[in-house]
Amino acid sequence: MKIIAGNWKMNGSRTALDDMVDSVSRVAGNDLRIMMFVPYTMLRTGNDMVMIGAQNVSKFDTGAHTGDVSAAMVRDTGAVATLVGHSETRDALHDTNADVALRAMHAIDNDLLPIICVGETDIERKTGIGEKVVVHGVRESVPKNAKNGGFIIAYEPRWAIGRGITPTTQEIADMHRIIRDTLIDMGLGDTPILYGASVTAQNVREIINIKNVSGVLIGGASLKKQDFIPIIENVK
Ligand code: PEP
């Protein structure tokens, strides 16, 4: 089963989400898992074809944290998943890997499927520490309560997200193999690994067929039906 996850970032509306879920449900096949990560105000129950999730959850479980939203609150909306550690939230909230692990821990405790995002910056890549950063990202962002196959890793090279550039097929294959080896070493080898950054209808077929790529996480190209539906069609 391949996974196609859309991240709407701070875009969209409840009406637009209803429309997208209807359209996606009509084209999605049984061997595909479609997930839509939307702003908190749009969270709701999905359906058999489309899982709906949040873009982050709090690292606290409850209490005096004005403006924060807990994993239990997200689950209470009917949503069933959440991103954690997306590069944009790592930057905005100054999250360390340990913070991301706390968020993922609360997600798992509240029956939300977390997608834990890891990836290296441009400088880290150019100075030759990209692989080390990604391996640390996986080892330190996965919480202790994570079960084999009970969460998802998304490899998102931070130098490529939202820029319309993608790594080479070989670069994606190499990083996914390193992540797979790390997960196996942690006893979590069945965990799906998504690739994310500048995926489009044009490049998705090649990316989805790379070894150890279990699916894709898509930002910009998940916003409009005319971009997102062809991606689904090309993976089917
Ligand atoms: C993302 O935000 O997770 C992402 C992959 O963005 P984009 O597809 O626009 O690069």
Side-chain angles (χ1 to χ4, degrees), residues 37-80:
F37 292 92
V38 296
Y40 292 124
T41 54
M42 298 169 208
L43 290 175
R44 64 170 177 84
T45 311
N47 61 30
D48 289 348
M49 296 295 187
V50 186
M51 295 168 77
I52 293 182
Q55 297 171 1
N56 202 10
V57 290
S58 178
K59 57 186 177 188
F60 306 105
D61 58 355
T62 187
H65 305 287
T66 303
D68 216 351
V69 177
S70 72
M73 291 168 184
V74 168
R75 188 68 192 88
D76 189 46
T77 67
V80 291

Side-chain angles (χ1 to χ4, degrees), residues 7 9 83 86-88 117 156 160-165 195-199 217-222:
N7 171 20
K9 312 192 184 202
L83 298 177
H86 189 279
S87 64
E88 288 156 17
C117 305
E156 297 209 299
I161 293 180
R163 297 195 188 167
I165 45 174
Y195 166 77
S198 309
V199 175
L217 177 55
I218 303 163
S222 70

Side-chain angles (χ1 to χ4, degrees), residues 103-229:
R103 297 178 192 281
M105 178 193 81
H106 287 302
I108 291 169
D109 278 347
N110 287 280
D111 282 334
L112 293 174
L113 175 64
I115 296 188
I116 301 171
C117 305
V118 296
E120 78 283 20
T121 63
D122 202 25
I123 291 176
E124 289 162 345
R125 175 178 182 238
K126 286 185 176 142
T127 53
I129 59 166
E131 292 177 3
K132 193 171 150 205
V133 167
V134 169
V135 169
H136 275 271
V138 174
R139 287 200 180 276
E140 295 164 14
S141 305
V142 173
K144 298 251 178 314
N145 63 345
K147 300 228 164 47
N148 194 8
F151 67 102
I152 296 172
I153 292 285
Y155 167 59
E156 297 209 299
R158 295 168 74 155
W159 47 273
I161 293 180
R163 297 195 188 167
I165 45 174
T166 40
T168 63
T169 301
Q170 192 58 51
E171 284 173 320
I172 297 175
D174 288 348
M175 205 58 105
H176 277 248
R177 183 185 42 75
I178 288 164
I179 295 171
R180 174 67 65 217
D181 289 347
T182 305
L183 288 165
I184 290 171
D185 189 55
M186 295 165 76
L188 301 167
D190 295 334
T191 304
I193 309 168
L194 311 186
Y195 166 77
S198 309
V199 175
T200 63
Q202 284 69 46
N203 62 20
V204 72
R205 205 170 296 199
E206 182 169 352
I207 292 171
I208 207 89
N209 285 313
I210 299 172
K211 193 163 180 221
N212 290 313
V213 172
S214 321
V216 284
L217 177 55
I218 303 163
S222 70
L223 285 173
K224 293 191 193 133
K225 284 190 290 182
Q226 63 263 38
D227 297 324
F228 198 44
I229 302 287

